[in-house]
Amino acid sequence: MVDYITASLNPSQEKAVRHCPDIPLQILAGPGSGKTKVLTSRIAHLILHHRIPPSAICAVTFTNKAANEMKERLSKLIGRDWTYQIKMGTFHALCALFLRRHGTLAGVDSNFTICDADESEKLITKLVKPRLEEWEAKGITVKAKTVMSVISKAKAQGHNPQQYLRFSVAKDGIIPPNPPPPDPLTVMFAEVYTDYQKTLRKSNSLDFDDLLVYGVKLFRGHDKVVSWCRHVLVDEFQDTNTMQYAIMKHLATHHTSVTVVGDPDQSIYGWRSADVANLKKMQKDFSTTEQIFLEENYRSTASILAVSLAIVSKDKTRIPKSLHTSHPHGTIPMLGTFRDEKMEAQFIATETKRLVAASGGMFEWKDFVILLRFNALSRALEAALQKEGIPNRVLNGHKFFERIEIKDLLAYLQTVDNPLFVPAFVRCINTPPRTIGEKSVNEILARAEKDKISPLTLLEGIYDSKMPDIKPAVKRKIGSFVPTIRKLRKLANSGTPPADLIRELLELTAYEGYLKKLFPDWETRWENVQELITFAAQPQETIRMDLDAVEVPQASQSQDQSQSQEQDNIEMYDLEQDGFMVVDEPASEVKGKEKEKPVTTPPKTEQGLLETPLRTFLQASMLSTDSETREDGDKNKVTISTCHAAKGLEWPVVFVPAVEKDIFPFYRTEDTEEERRLLYVACTRAQGLLYISNVVGRMHGGKVKFTQVSEFISAVLKDDLTLTTTQPPAMNYPEVEVISRVLRQPCPSIEDINKRMRE
């Protein structure tokens, strides 16, 4: 089986897979070099060859999509049962799981609500509002989004409000002996940050950054929570921030067995607090760390790789590494210069139609992507595509869980699960309308805060005539609301599946009738509601905690027996006596006696089960970072995307327009080299054909601004003019044959090509 796993790997990939698990490893994998294959093969090798129990392995990804892809591949290698014992998921999902189980150790109640970005912005807007007059008097204009970004970056660095203030005057991370006082704006940010955290804690909620902050607090302060981990693997390591690195480090506390996969050349998220320096930090913290380079690209033609490498190689601070491919040289990338953005967009649209025909139908609309530095550049392109009748879609558009009707229903369920979460209560109390005005809602919130109870508890007291009504009176108006919440709460606590809860909620609130009355597009919204039920009906794949022990295959006969015994013996603690759950029990601990199953029943609190199907569903919906708007049946569309959103994806044909000064690099950037890497990422998405373009004059702010090609491109052309061509590909038959081999698709016949061209 081990030979089967490594049979299809190249020498560098095999070396990475077979690397000794006790020596920390950095796999520096270029684009298209098969890093996912290497990562999954290494996990399988750790289990089958080194006999590390699947439940003692933690694999961290940056998206749910990546985690699901790894699960699918691993299921084929080691089977579904073992795959789903591996603790695999995003950093946020991993922290959320452990905080549900052991959050009280970090000061978090188990039924905390995950506050999404939209609700966070609303909270901060409310906190900023009373300060606006003071700020404006000092000549300061600040938006809530700016404050939100500052707070997020502070949390990503592990700084509370007080630490944020102290480090605001630091130089290179060092606070001087006699630091100057922070500037007034920083002080104001710290005040909002303090109040924001108080508001979140009062509502028993955590924002996305808090999941990491409290996760670090839990892992750092309680060794028994991480003692199960024998090996931790991290994907896209170059995108980790300070908190995510700390999580990795604490998970590796007991065994220092770490594998990370990343590419510093694709580090493009500095604005999200990603820190590429974590690669060097790991080498310092894990002094025996070794590096293996994956430099064979399986995605692109040699000509695309040549221009991509020429771009990124101008960064003199990068780790020197190359990229090569067994694919043919292929068509030379085109560098086009146009008069204005309309001509540029028109060329892209007509060229797309030409390529579909000239390829004999080998290319479909879905094989094309237009990669933009920022979304605002899409207007002319969308118009040109529409004019040519080319269907298109915008990648990473409005997300499914951000739709009004979905947020309405989730607000009800969040209120049922966590009555302290005020944003959800405020959203659902008058949805559908119950003639409870803003004044009444504010009175309810004020009374509840004064009495130190949740708003829902107050309403239940008024409904039961155990508490005096407010003014204006609401007892009559909540006649349907309180019974609805009570019925849903009873069903939720008894373990009713989330899909059934939603159906019951729709019936109790007559929500379909509400949509019909209020929204002209109610049918589409109702379809979204049905999709939510579908999502709720699916088993929510969370990181597994409590699993029956599974026998791990025997090590090879040549393996040293004492070593295998040491590998088998995971030190077990009586976690229950400290309020913990028993996480796993390795098979080796029960050899020679009847196996006892680990505890699998979640502990209870005064409010009921620590975990309910509803709570699992709510967590999955809040962490569903990859759930985009439902698409219609026809997915055959040209994609328009930002370069950032395209990372990790690939297309046969890539257009990168507006590669101009002040766009690449963006004029407000603080890191020119990160902008260079972003263009490199965009170019390396291409498999067969790459187009880079710029214009002489681009409309900006209502005026034509004359521009020039990006310095990233001009520097490359200065060294080698042959890397690009000013002419579009001829698409003669030899070129089509090469592209078909790269894409591993049947090559169309000359007759098909001629027929398409005539049409």
Side-chain angles (χ1 to χ4, degrees), residues 8-17 33-34 37-38 294 298:
S8 61
L9 303 176
N10 66 39
S12 295
Q13 291 174 331
E14 183 173 358
K15 183 180 178 183
V17 168
S33 61
K37 182 177 183 179
V38 170
L294 302 185
Y298 294 92

Side-chain angles (χ1 to χ4, degrees), residues 427-438:
R427 187 179 188 102
C428 68
I429 180 64
N430 205 34
T431 305
R434 298 183 176 91
T435 66
I436 302 174
E438 185 178 350

Side-chain angles (χ1 to χ4, degrees), residues 136-323:
E136 289 172 358
K138 296 179 180 180
I140 299 171
T141 303
V142 178
K143 295 181 179 179
K145 278 186 178 294
T146 303
V147 182
M148 188 174 171
S149 176
V150 168
I151 293 173
S152 178
K153 287 182 178 179
K155 290 185 178 183
Q157 294 171 338
H159 294 163
N160 60 31
Q162 294 73 35
Q163 292 168 325
Y164 163 69
L165 271 178
R166 290 205 305 273
F167 278 92
S168 67
V169 297
K171 293 183 179 179
D172 297 324
I174 300 173
I175 302 174
N178 297 306
D183 63 77
L185 185 59
T186 300
V187 173
M188 292 176 185
F189 282 164
E191 290 173 355
V192 176
Y193 185 4
T194 300
D195 292 345
Y196 173 62
Q197 287 305 105
K198 288 179 180 177
T199 303
L200 288 176
R201 299 309 307 125
K202 193 181 296 182
S203 291
N204 187 26
S205 58
L206 303 177
D207 65 18
F208 290 117
D209 294 307
D210 281 334
L211 289 173
L212 303 181
V213 170
Y214 281 87
V216 170
K217 185 177 179 181
L218 176 64
F219 296 149
R220 179 180 59 212
H222 304 279
D223 284 350
K224 293 181 181 180
V225 180
V226 296
S227 61
W228 56 270
C229 186
R230 288 270 297 275
H231 201 102
V232 57
L233 304 97
V234 181
D235 192 14
E236 303 288 5
F237 187 71
Q238 78 280 346
D239 293 333
T240 54
N241 61 31
T242 300
M243 290 289 94
Q244 290 163 334
Y245 178 83
I247 290 167
M248 180 274 285
K249 185 178 176 182
H250 292 309
L251 286 171
T253 295
H254 287 269
H255 295 279
T256 63
S257 296
V258 184
T259 298
V260 304
V261 181
D263 182 7
D265 286 342
Q266 297 185 72
S267 177
I268 59 174
Y269 290 110
W271 51 281
R272 286 186 186 172
S273 302
D275 188 357
V276 70
N278 283 341
L279 284 162
K280 290 184 178 178
K281 190 185 296 183
M282 177 181 166
Q283 292 173 333
K284 181 179 177 182
D285 292 338
F286 301 85
S287 58
T288 59
T289 297
E290 295 183 5
Q291 289 184 337
I292 294 176
F293 293 82
L294 302 185
E295 298 178 309
E296 183 169 356
N297 176 283
Y298 294 92
R299 174 186 297 156
S300 309
T301 62
S303 63
I304 292 173
L305 287 187
V307 71
S308 301
L309 273 173
I311 291 170
V312 79
S313 295
K314 294 298 179 181
D315 176 5
K316 302 305 179 184
T317 64
R318 68 187 285 265
I319 298 174
K321 56 188 177 66
S322 186
L323 208 57

Side-chain angles (χ1 to χ4, degrees), residues 25-26 40 82 88 165 167 200 210 244 246 261 273 290 309 356 380 400 485 546 554 582 600 658 663 670 690 698 744:
L25 173 64
Q26 291 182 346
T40 52
W82 284 357
M88 184 184 302
L165 271 178
F167 278 92
L200 288 176
D210 281 334
Q244 290 163 334
V261 181
S273 302
E290 295 183 5
L309 273 173
V356 169
F400 179 74
I485 296 295
D546 303 307
Q554 294 297 313
V582 172
T600 57
I663 296 179
E670 296 179 359
L690 172 64
R698 185 174 297 277
R744 298 180 178 85

